[in-house]
Amino acid sequence: MAKALIVLTSHSQMGETEEKTGFWLSELTHPYYAIVDRGIQTDIVSIQGGEAPVDPRSWDEEDKLNVRFMSTPELTLLLKNSPSLDDIDPTDYQAIVFAGGHGTMWDFPDDPDVQDKAATIYEQGGIVAAICHGPAALLNIKLSDETLLIEGKQVTAFSNAEEEAVQLNKVVPFSLQDELIINGAKYIEQPAWSANVVTDGRLITGQNPQSAAGVGDAICDLLQELTS
């Protein structure tokens, strides 16, 4: 039976500002239910463990999947006291998903567990996926031959145009779109806020919150192919 792992940021401060950030709620709930509702066990962890910070701007009570998740006591409890990525055995999983939210820009790129666990899952034939700002996790993942996972691969992520639209391009520590390109990825952009899911082999990325469910669906379809 295939198992998937969703990784959340533990970073809650928006740069040098007073504003709070964290993970984007729908970028957890949409892929979670896309995968779970297809019968695949899905675990949730955060970088540091403990309380995973939800970006307050992402509380959308009209989003049925957010409501479904947040009205499930064991899941809300999990967000209050999440396991740490460090405690996870990557050989238990066939897919790892990096949920987005601006917090990821600070703690995903240089985290050794992000790099080691994702590389292990990928090199054992599994899927690495990331949504919106989640592809910050992909920047420094090296495979055993010392090449970067994203080198020469088609990927997408939150675009410069979208970052400028939300007026955070001067707040984030770097441009995600630019850094992916610098590190050898082929960046695929669609118009702001349109769903865009890019699959290149066993690497799946989504551009923005509108792509979150599609990433979950793409993971399930690929898992089905890989395990059939």
Coordinates of all heavy atoms in Angstrom, one line a residue, residues 3-5 85-96 113-127:
K3 N 2.2 5.0 0.5 CA 2.0 6.1 1.5 C 2.6 7.4 1.0 O 3.7 7.4 0.4 CB 2.7 5.6 2.8 CG 2.0 4.6 3.6 CD 2.8 4.2 4.8 CE 2.9 5.3 5.9 NZ 3.7 4.8 7.1
A4 N 2.0 8.5 1.4 CA 2.5 9.8 1.0 C 2.7 10.6 2.3 O 2.1 10.4 3.4 CB 1.4 10.5 0.2
L5 N 3.6 11.6 2.2 CA 4.0 12.4 3.3 C 3.9 13.9 2.8 O 4.4 14.3 1.8 CB 5.5 12.1 3.7 CG 6.0 12.9 4.9 CD1 5.4 12.5 6.2 CD2 7.5 12.7 5.0
L85 N 9.9 16.3 10.7 CA 10.4 15.6 9.5 C 11.6 14.8 9.8 O 11.9 13.7 9.3 CB 10.8 16.6 8.4 CG 11.4 16.1 7.1 CD1 10.4 15.1 6.4 CD2 11.7 17.3 6.1
D86 N 12.4 15.3 10.8 CA 13.6 14.6 11.3 C 13.3 13.1 11.8 O 14.1 12.2 11.7 CB 14.3 15.4 12.4 CG 15.6 14.8 12.9 OD1 16.4 14.4 12.0 OD2 15.8 14.7 14.1
D87 N 12.1 13.0 12.3 CA 11.7 11.7 12.9 C 11.2 10.6 11.9 O 10.8 9.5 12.3 CB 10.6 11.9 14.0 CG 11.2 12.7 15.1 OD1 12.4 12.6 15.4 OD2 10.4 13.4 15.8
I88 N 11.1 11.0 10.6 CA 10.5 10.2 9.6 C 11.5 9.3 8.9 O 12.6 9.7 8.6 CB 9.8 11.1 8.5 CG1 8.6 11.9 9.2 CG2 9.3 10.3 7.3 CD1 7.5 11.0 9.8
D89 N 11.1 8.0 8.7 CA 11.9 7.1 7.9 C 11.4 7.2 6.5 O 10.3 6.8 6.1 CB 11.7 5.7 8.4 CG 12.5 4.7 7.6 OD1 13.1 5.0 6.6 OD2 12.5 3.5 8.0
P90 N 12.2 7.8 5.6 CA 11.8 8.0 4.2 C 11.5 6.8 3.4 O 10.7 6.8 2.5 CB 12.9 8.8 3.6 CG 14.1 8.5 4.4 CD 13.6 8.3 5.8
T91 N 12.0 5.6 3.9 CA 11.8 4.4 3.1 C 10.4 3.9 3.3 O 9.9 3.0 2.6 CB 12.8 3.3 3.6 OG1 12.6 3.0 5.0 CG2 14.2 3.7 3.3
D92 N 9.6 4.5 4.2 CA 8.2 4.2 4.4 C 7.3 4.8 3.4 O 6.1 4.5 3.3 CB 7.7 4.6 5.8 CG 8.3 3.8 6.9 OD1 8.8 2.7 6.7 OD2 8.2 4.3 8.1
Y93 N 7.8 5.7 2.6 CA 6.9 6.6 1.7 C 7.3 6.4 0.2 O 8.4 6.3 -0.1 CB 7.0 8.0 2.1 CG 6.5 8.2 3.5 CD1 7.4 8.2 4.6 CD2 5.2 8.4 3.8 CE1 6.9 8.3 5.9 CE2 4.7 8.6 5.1 CZ 5.6 8.5 6.2 OH 5.1 8.7 7.4
Q94 N 6.2 6.5 -0.6 CA 6.4 6.5 -2.0 C 6.2 7.9 -2.6 O 6.4 8.1 -3.8 CB 5.4 5.6 -2.7 CG 5.7 4.1 -2.4 CD 5.5 3.7 -1.0 OE1 4.5 3.9 -0.4 NE2 6.5 3.1 -0.4
A95 N 5.8 8.9 -1.8 CA 5.6 10.3 -2.3 C 5.9 11.2 -1.2 O 5.4 11.0 0.0 CB 4.3 10.5 -2.9
I96 N 6.5 12.3 -1.4 CA 6.7 13.4 -0.5 C 6.2 14.7 -1.1 O 6.5 15.0 -2.3 CB 8.2 13.5 0.0 CG1 8.3 14.6 1.1 CG2 9.1 13.8 -1.1 CD1 9.6 14.5 1.9
D113 N 17.2 17.8 6.4 CA 16.2 16.7 6.4 C 15.3 16.8 5.1 O 15.0 15.8 4.5 CB 15.3 16.8 7.6 CG 16.0 16.3 8.9 OD1 16.6 15.2 8.8 OD2 15.9 17.0 9.9
V114 N 15.0 18.0 4.7 CA 14.3 18.2 3.4 C 15.1 17.6 2.3 O 14.6 16.8 1.5 CB 14.1 19.7 3.1 CG1 13.7 19.9 1.7 CG2 13.0 20.3 4.0
Q115 N 16.4 17.9 2.3 CA 17.2 17.4 1.2 C 17.4 15.9 1.2 O 17.3 15.2 0.2 CB 18.6 18.1 1.2 CG 18.4 19.6 1.0 CD 19.6 20.4 1.4 OE1 20.7 19.9 1.4 NE2 19.4 21.7 1.7
D116 N 17.7 15.4 2.4 CA 18.0 13.9 2.5 C 16.8 13.1 2.3 O 16.9 12.1 1.6 CB 18.6 13.6 3.9 CG 19.9 14.3 4.2 OD1 20.5 14.8 3.2 OD2 20.4 14.4 5.3
K117 N 15.7 13.4 2.9 CA 14.5 12.6 2.9 C 13.9 12.6 1.5 O 13.5 11.6 0.9 CB 13.5 13.0 3.9 CG 14.1 13.3 5.3 CD 13.9 12.1 6.2 CE 14.8 12.3 7.5 NZ 14.4 11.7 8.7
A118 N 13.9 13.8 0.8 CA 13.4 13.9 -0.5 C 14.2 13.1 -1.5 O 13.7 12.4 -2.4 CB 13.2 15.3 -1.0
A119 N 15.5 13.2 -1.4 CA 16.5 12.5 -2.3 C 16.3 11.0 -2.1 O 16.3 10.2 -3.1 CB 17.9 12.9 -2.0
T120 N 16.1 10.5 -0.9 CA 15.9 9.1 -0.6 C 14.7 8.6 -1.3 O 14.7 7.6 -1.9 CB 15.9 8.8 0.9 OG1 17.2 9.2 1.5 CG2 15.7 7.3 1.2
I121 N 13.6 9.3 -1.0 CA 12.3 8.9 -1.6 C 12.4 8.9 -3.2 O 12.0 7.9 -3.8 CB 11.1 9.8 -1.1 CG1 10.9 9.5 0.3 CG2 9.9 9.6 -2.0 CD1 10.0 10.5 1.0
Y122 N 13.0 9.9 -3.7 CA 13.1 10.0 -5.2 C 14.0 8.8 -5.7 O 13.6 8.2 -6.7 CB 13.7 11.3 -5.6 CG 13.7 11.6 -7.1 CD1 12.5 12.0 -7.7 CD2 14.8 11.4 -7.9 CE1 12.5 12.3 -9.1 CE2 14.8 11.6 -9.2 CZ 13.6 12.1 -9.8 OH 13.6 12.3 -11.2
E123 N 15.1 8.6 -5.1 CA 16.0 7.6 -5.6 C 15.6 6.1 -5.3 O 16.1 5.2 -5.9 CB 17.4 7.8 -5.0 CG 18.0 9.1 -5.5 CD 19.5 9.2 -5.4 OE1 20.1 9.0 -4.3 OE2 20.1 9.5 -6.4
Q124 N 14.6 6.0 -4.5 CA 14.0 4.6 -4.3 C 12.8 4.5 -5.3 O 12.0 3.5 -5.1 CB 13.6 4.3 -2.9 CG 12.5 5.2 -2.3 CD 12.3 5.1 -0.8 OE1 13.3 4.7 -0.1 NE2 11.2 5.5 -0.3
G125 N 12.6 5.4 -6.2 CA 11.6 5.3 -7.2 C 10.3 6.0 -6.9 O 9.3 5.8 -7.5
G126 N 10.3 6.9 -5.8 CA 9.2 7.6 -5.4 C 9.0 8.9 -6.1 O 9.8 9.4 -6.9
I127 N 8.0 9.7 -5.6 CA 7.6 10.9 -6.2 C 8.0 12.1 -5.3 O 7.8 12.0 -4.1 CB 6.1 11.0 -6.5 CG1 5.7 9.9 -7.5 CG2 5.6 12.4 -6.9 CD1 4.2 9.6 -7.5

